[in-house]
Amino acid sequence: MSAKMYRSTDRVVAGVCAGLAEHLGLRVGTVRAIMAGSCFLFGAGVVFYAWLWILVPLAGDDAASGAPQLADDGGPRLRLFRPAPPAEPAPAELGAGGPAQPRGDRARPGFSVGAREILVGGALVVAAVLLFSARAGVNLNLGTIIPLGVIAAGAVLAWMQLDATRRVGLLNAAKMDTPWSVARFVAGLILVVAGVLIIVTGSGSWALVWASVVASVAVLAGVGLVLAPWALKFWRDLQAERAGRIRETQRAEIAAHLHDSVLQTLALIQKRADSPQDVSRLARAQERELRSWIYQDAGQDTGRLVAGIKAVCAEVEDLHGLPVELVTVGDAELGEPMRALVQATREAVLNGVRHGGTPVSVYVEAAPSGVDVFVKDRGPGFDPGAVPPDRLGVRESVVGRMQRNGGSAEIISSPDGTEVRLHLPGGPAQAAAATGTARNTDAEEAK
Amino acid sequence: MTAAGQPIRVVVVDDHAIFRSGLKADLAPDIHVLAEAATVEEAIAAVAAHTPDVVLLDVHLPGGRGQGGREVISGCAGMLGQVKFLALSVSDAAEDVVSVIRAGARGYVTKSISGTEISDAVRRVAGGDAVFSPRLAGFVLDAFGTAEVAVEDELDKLSARELEVMRLIARGYSYKEVAKALFISIKTVETHVSAVLRKLQLSSRHELTRWAADRRLL
């Protein structure tokens, strides 16, 4: 007697009887006889057998260690199944049914060739036996046989599915989600229910039908209760498998990304080692790209203000090879006036890099009451009033653009550097509400 | 705390030897590197052995329970009075920066900072002040909100002046420039920044918690 039950590998059909015998400490012959006898109690034996087939693992098939055995290889299983009793009286049918299956079906998970052949062969044997007995003058009650056939087909369909899912599902986590498997299961269920109803209505009154329906619902509920832990465990296995798969995919994606970006850049840097400017530009661009990839967060949505500003800062960095330090607080939708603000920011940053010739700091603060952008460089500075009128750069593309879009721009320059301050009020309703409240942002601008 | 003129003794903690040697070369002559460490365990041992004035601490470190710089600070919790930590990172992710500050670091600078700037930062931290990079100031403004709101606990909000200082730092102003722009002394700027640091470390403000949760800091 063993503590935990396994299906025996020394088996006739699925090793259930042998496993049960080992588990209970009985003789295999006795268990088989009981099992066969109970089949006549409204098929209880068949149901119990199938039940154990599904629930009890094959010996040596504990958790993941058994996975390789579950490979969809029809060959060995067919060999093991061959001595099965139904195959004996009709070798011709089995032979005809087997090779008729297209070999391509082997590739389809779920239905192994062996099981399929057994099924078809079994069905043909049953049909042959029925035909033979009809010839021999036995009175066949079609009203009983057809529903029984329907039930059997439904049960096989559903349970084949379950068994297959269990075997292959562990190998292929996505399997359970395919509409096909669900459809098969549901179809099997419907067939069984329909068959049961046909039998019951064919042989009794409506009161009896009603009682049977209640009874079957109760039985189903009970079965559900018993099944729940198993279903849960099965689901967890699937989830674990899926998580592992996702991790693997992510790792591969990271490796691919690093290869495409970082390794390429490093190779380029080695080639350009003699040009400090190229090297620093490459390094900076790679750094930016890697950062945005690692720290991708909600602020990265395109169509948002911060993303737009980030993009223009990156563009200027690439153009001039000087770092642009960006700090943002809050974010806003990138509407029409906001686009103008982004463009004005771009001009201001470009101006800072070009004339300041030093790293540029950009600070963006987006609040419902409006957006402020500060662009600061540490260049020698210039007098905004002294810029010749033909130099449209700053005056037109920054100040003019902001004014046309309902904002304002201010340029403060000193020998310590230049700062461009852009302000764009929020939406009409928000702006109206905000004008009264204290905006201490501008406190230092009043100096 | 060191008196003026005395060298500042530091321990450099970073897992990249190249970065450590580059940093040592960059530091001003009045800053003496006592020891270097590359992992959490080495760092805790080195700090305990040398009791430096300042620890230049990389946020991402191998070893320990995988929490990097934060773990070093909590491992030296008993010495936080004498030893100041200055966080140093390539990461500009909010969770890295804010978690190491909330663990007890006195400042945060990025690794791209120049040698003069980092020497300044070390002196400032050794003198008991806080060092905020523009980005850290941005995080503070993001976390505490940019508008003045009425809250019960003083720890939970920034004063108008502190907000201004934070904003100017976020805009790339040096302490000196902040002082000039606000017509206050550098010492006052430092006081404001230290006050903000204290609030950042101690506040249990609802918004800060939510902000941190949004960024998976908790």
Side-chain angles (χ1 to χ4, degrees), chain A residues 248-427:
Chain A
E248 191 54 38
T249 319
Q250 272 175 345
R251 219 197 68 77
E253 196 187 303
I254 290 169
H257 183 270
L258 290 183
H259 180 265
D260 290 348
S261 59
V262 179
L263 287 185
Q264 301 289 352
T265 306
L266 287 177
L268 268 176
I269 284 178
Q270 286 169 37
K271 262 189 208 156
R272 305 271 184 84
D274 50 338
S275 160
Q277 213 185 354
D278 279 352
V279 168
S280 76
R281 186 178 307 176
L282 279 168
R284 182 76 185 164
Q286 182 56 59
E287 179 193 344
R288 185 158 20 80
E289 196 265 347
L290 203 55
R291 263 183 211 290
S292 76
W293 190 70
I294 295 174
Y295 305 117
Q296 43 189 262
D297 49 17
Q300 294 282 1
D301 313 349
T302 51
R304 303 283 289 174
L305 174 69
V306 168
I309 302 256
K310 255 183 199 161
V312 297
C313 289
E315 187 196 334
V316 174
E317 262 185 21
D318 279 349
L319 271 172
H320 291 269
L322 278 170
V324 177
E325 207 65 55
L326 174 64
V327 175
T328 61
V329 173
D331 202 350
E333 286 298 334
L334 196 54
E336 203 29 68
M338 287 292 182
R339 276 178 219 287
L341 177 69
V342 171
Q343 278 313 305
T345 305
R346 180 179 180 275
E347 292 304 321
V349 174
L350 259 178
N351 192 62
V353 170
R354 241 185 243 143
H355 301 293
T358 61
V360 172
S361 302
V362 180
Y363 172 62
V364 180
E365 185 178 313
S369 52
V371 180
D372 289 281
V373 176
F374 300 89
V375 179
K376 181 175 168 61
D377 69 60
R378 293 174 183 283
F382 65 99
D383 178 3
V387 175
D390 58 311
R391 282 276 312 281
L392 284 177
V394 174
R395 189 167 303 159
E396 204 26 56
S397 58
V398 178
V399 183
R401 185 178 264 141
M402 289 308 293
Q403 281 167 354
R404 278 197 300 280
N405 285 280
S408 59
E410 209 185 335
I411 300 167
I412 288 96
S413 195
S414 74
D416 294 335
T418 306
E419 188 172 50
V420 180
R421 300 166 181 177
L422 310 175
H423 175 70
L424 190 68

Side-chain angles (χ1 to χ4, degrees), chain B residues 162-201:
Chain B
E162 286 160 0
L163 272 174
E164 285 171 35
V165 170
M166 282 297 119
R167 251 198 207 96
L168 287 171
I169 291 175
R171 279 158 62 176
Y173 281 55
S174 66
Y175 282 24
K176 207 171 97 189
E177 288 168 322
V178 173
K180 205 174 143 199
L182 296 179
F183 301 108
I184 53 181
S185 70
I186 295 183
K187 196 68 222 162
T188 315
V189 174
E190 286 168 347
T191 313
H192 285 309
V193 175
S194 295
V196 173
L197 180 85
R198 199 174 69 91
K199 289 179 181 178
L200 184 60
Q201 287 174 340

Side-chain angles (χ1 to χ4, degrees), chain B residues 21-37:
Chain B
S21 57
L23 184 63
K24 263 167 77 176
D26 272 355
L27 286 171
D30 63 328
I31 297 171
H32 287 196
V33 178
L34 300 177
E36 298 174 22

Side-chain angles (χ1 to χ4, degrees), chain A residues 72 107-112 160-185 234-235 238 241-242 245:
Chain A
D72 192 22
R108 220 170 90 198
F111 265 106
S112 69
M160 278 304 292
Q161 175 56 31
L162 251 190
D163 199 25
T165 311
R166 188 156 168 254
R167 282 160 192 272
V168 185
L170 287 174
L171 297 175
N172 176 13
K175 179 91 171 66
M176 192 59 180
D177 286 344
T178 61
W180 250 114
S181 57
V182 176
R184 258 192 236 155
F185 188 80
F234 179 55
W235 180 246
L238 270 180
E241 169 73 17
R242 185 168 305 171
R245 202 165 276 266

Side-chain angles (χ1 to χ4, degrees), chain B:
Chain B
M1 207 160 294
T2 53
Q6 249 182 348
I8 300 170
R9 301 168 315 123
V10 301
V11 166
V12 177
V13 182
D14 193 292
D15 51 329
H16 295 286
I18 293 183
F19 182 79
R20 288 200 305 267
S21 57
L23 184 63
K24 263 167 77 176
D26 272 355
L27 286 171
D30 63 328
I31 297 171
H32 287 196
V33 178
L34 300 177
E36 298 174 22
T39 64
V40 171
E41 289 83 4
E42 281 178 39
I44 295 175
V47 171
H50 297 279
T51 325
D53 299 315
V54 177
V55 179
L56 282 165
L57 182 65
D58 189 9
V59 175
H60 292 280
L61 277 181
R65 278 167 285 123
Q67 300 195 328
R70 208 172 355 151
E71 210 179 324
V72 176
I73 299 178
S74 43
C76 306
M79 309 169 76
L80 269 182
Q82 310 140 275
V83 181
K84 313 279 192 319
F85 289 88
L86 176 59
L88 200 63
S89 175
V90 287
S91 161
D92 54 3
E95 46 261 55
D96 294 332
V97 178
V98 174
S99 65
V100 79
I101 291 286
R102 281 186 66 97
R106 296 288 301 169
Y108 158 82
V109 290
T110 48
K111 282 188 178 174
S112 53
I113 191 171
S114 76
T116 355
E117 285 174 306
I118 199 153
S119 303
D120 274 351
V122 169
R123 285 188 206 107
R124 191 158 277 141
V125 168
D129 291 315
V131 173
F132 276 35
S133 70
R135 195 170 291 276
L136 179 54
F139 290 150
V140 169
L141 289 169
D142 211 1
F144 282 86
T146 47
E148 259 194 293
V149 282
V151 285
E152 284 154 30
D153 195 340
E154 269 307 303
L155 273 180
D156 294 348
K157 66 164 188 180
L158 302 184
S159 73
R161 210 51 159 173
E162 286 160 0
L163 272 174
E164 285 171 35
V165 170
M166 282 297 119
R167 251 198 207 96
L168 287 171
I169 291 175
R171 279 158 62 176
Y173 281 55
S174 66
Y175 282 24
K176 207 171 97 189
E177 288 168 322
V178 173
K180 205 174 143 199
L182 296 179
F183 301 108
I184 53 181
S185 70
I186 295 183
K187 196 68 222 162
T188 315
V189 174
E190 286 168 347
T191 313
H192 285 309
V193 175
S194 295
V196 173
L197 180 85
R198 199 174 69 91
K199 289 179 181 178
L200 184 60
Q201 287 174 340
L202 299 181
S203 173
S204 55
R205 179 190 158 117
H206 168 67
E207 275 78 10
L208 185 62
T209 320
R210 205 187 52 206
W211 181 85
D214 283 351
R215 283 157 183 75
R216 298 187 300 275
L217 302 194
L218 297 179

